[in-house]
Amino acid sequence: MAHGYSGDKQALLMRLRRAEGQVRGIARMVDEEAYCIDVLTQVSAVT
């Protein structure tokens, strides 16, 4: 019996990895005290 992810698993994993990378980038921006508007722009892109 196949479970729900079998057909789209690779595509789903790629999307999750991309989102993870974007969130890590935002964390780095916050750590480096980037301008608020730049951080918000990245948050909007991830959303």
Side-chain angles (χ1 to χ4, degrees):
M1 176 179 212
H3 293 284
Y5 298 120
S6 61
D8 299 316
K9 184 176 179 179
Q10 288 303 322
L12 176 61
L13 286 172
M14 286 178 60
R15 289 183 67 186
L16 287 169
R17 288 184 185 120
R18 184 179 312 120
E20 178 185 20
Q22 289 176 311
V23 171
R24 285 182 190 271
I26 292 169
R28 185 171 42 253
M29 291 176 76
V30 170
D31 186 50
E32 295 172 356
E33 298 185 16
Y35 287 113
C36 183
I37 190 67
D38 294 336
V39 175
L40 290 175
T41 299
Q42 291 304 312
V43 169
S44 178
V46 170
T47 303

